[in-house]
Amino acid sequence: MMAFATAPACFSRCQQACRARRRRNAKAQPRRRRSAVKCVAESEPAQQREIDVRGFQVPRVGEVVTYAGKWPGEDCVGLVEGVQFIESRAVYVVDVLPLKSVGPKLFGRPSARAKGGVGQAKWMDVGEVRLTVDAVYEADRDAYRVERVNDGYKDMSEIDPDVRARYNQEYEDLKQELLRSTAVAGLLGTVITAVITRSLDTPTTFATGALASLVYVALLNRRVDNVGANNPGGS
């Protein structure tokens, strides 16, 4: 009888010892750090993903999506934090956390102190978001790299050469007009001052100021020209 009574206790102690051994082995194994994790499943068949009745693919929690920004042609990047089906409308909505730009093609979670609505998740219809196909999480930067994102700015290389030449000519005409206007205003002011005061002191002072203004405008034009020379793509 004593043997049968102590058998369950021995079995329980053996189980506890096995669990403790497994925990020690798990702690002893080093964890491998993943520097880049795919945030989309490109190889997954489309039929395994939920499809909205309108034909839109439903993102999953943890996936990166893009949606229309404030300006035409601008893309915003967000992280899906929730997915919900609205039975009354028979559509899916997703809870999207906006990500902020932290570098070229890099988007990270906003800080808790972010203002202006940044960092606050918002519910959006699945028809308003687009799944990314190249989003990768970089653990060392704690950010998501998304290559195919439009910033809304037009590529200057797409400007027609004739249009660029016309703009450059308008700029040259504006520089000459500024110089002429400054010179004429200085000359007329000097003459009028001489006629009114009938002396040389006041007209000489006015003429000196007008000459200094003319030199200033010329130097300003040269400085703007140097800026354009350092940035030929935007000239």
Side-chain angles (χ1 to χ4, degrees):
M1 294 294 295
M2 290 294 295
F4 285 107
T6 57
C10 294
F11 180 73
S12 177
R13 286 196 295 271
C14 291
Q15 283 185 326
Q16 293 177 0
C18 291
R19 294 194 192 101
R21 189 180 300 109
R22 284 196 295 266
R23 285 195 295 267
R24 288 195 299 270
N25 293 337
K27 293 180 179 180
Q29 293 178 356
R31 295 182 178 180
R32 293 181 296 177
R33 183 178 180 182
R34 301 176 65 184
S35 58
V37 180
K38 269 285 185 181
C39 301
V40 293
E42 295 181 84
S43 59
E44 183 181 16
Q47 60 268 21
Q48 295 184 8
R49 181 182 293 274
E50 291 286 347
I51 303 296
D52 188 81
V53 293
R54 298 163 296 174
F56 297 113
Q57 293 186 357
V58 180
R60 295 193 179 95
V61 175
E63 290 185 330
V64 177
V65 296
T66 59
Y67 55 94
K70 181 179 179 180
W71 308 107
E74 179 190 13
D75 288 338
C76 292
V77 180
L79 182 66
V80 178
E81 291 193 330
V83 180
Q84 183 176 352
F85 179 72
I86 307 298
E87 295 184 1
S88 59
R89 298 163 48 196
V91 297
Y92 284 90
V93 294
V94 290
D95 193 18
V96 179
L97 174 67
L99 302 179
K100 67 175 183 178
S101 177
V102 296
K105 304 297 183 180
L106 288 174
F107 301 87
R109 292 174 177 267
S111 62
R113 300 180 180 179
K115 299 180 180 180
V118 179
Q120 300 178 0
K122 53 185 177 181
W123 289 98
M124 304 178 64
D125 190 283
V126 292
E128 300 175 341
V129 301
R130 299 183 301 275
L131 287 169
T132 58
V133 297
D134 57 356
V136 177
Y137 176 70
E138 298 186 357
D140 54 340
R141 300 187 180 184
D142 192 21
Y144 298 87
R145 178 173 295 279
V146 186
E147 296 293 340
R148 302 176 186 178
V149 177
N150 298 322
D151 55 11
Y153 293 98
K154 185 176 181 181
D155 188 1
M156 297 300 294
S157 61
E158 298 179 358
I159 297 180
D160 186 88
D162 296 335
V163 176
R164 186 190 299 273
R166 186 175 75 249
Y167 288 161
N168 289 338
Q169 185 60 44
E170 291 178 358
Y171 168 67
E172 294 295 333
D173 295 341
L174 178 61
K175 289 196 303 181
Q176 298 301 323
E177 180 65 24
L178 288 174
L179 290 173
R180 285 195 299 269
S181 299
T182 304
V184 171
L187 180 60
L188 291 178
T190 302
V191 173
I192 294 174
T193 303
V195 171
I196 294 176
T197 60
R198 296 183 181 277
S199 65
L200 294 178
D201 295 338
T202 302
T204 301
T205 303
F206 193 94
T208 303
L211 181 61
S213 300
L214 190 63
V215 173
Y216 172 77
V217 172
L219 293 177
L220 184 62
N221 289 341
R222 179 179 297 181
R223 182 174 182 180
V224 175
D225 291 341
N226 293 334
V227 173
N230 296 331
N231 184 21
S235 60

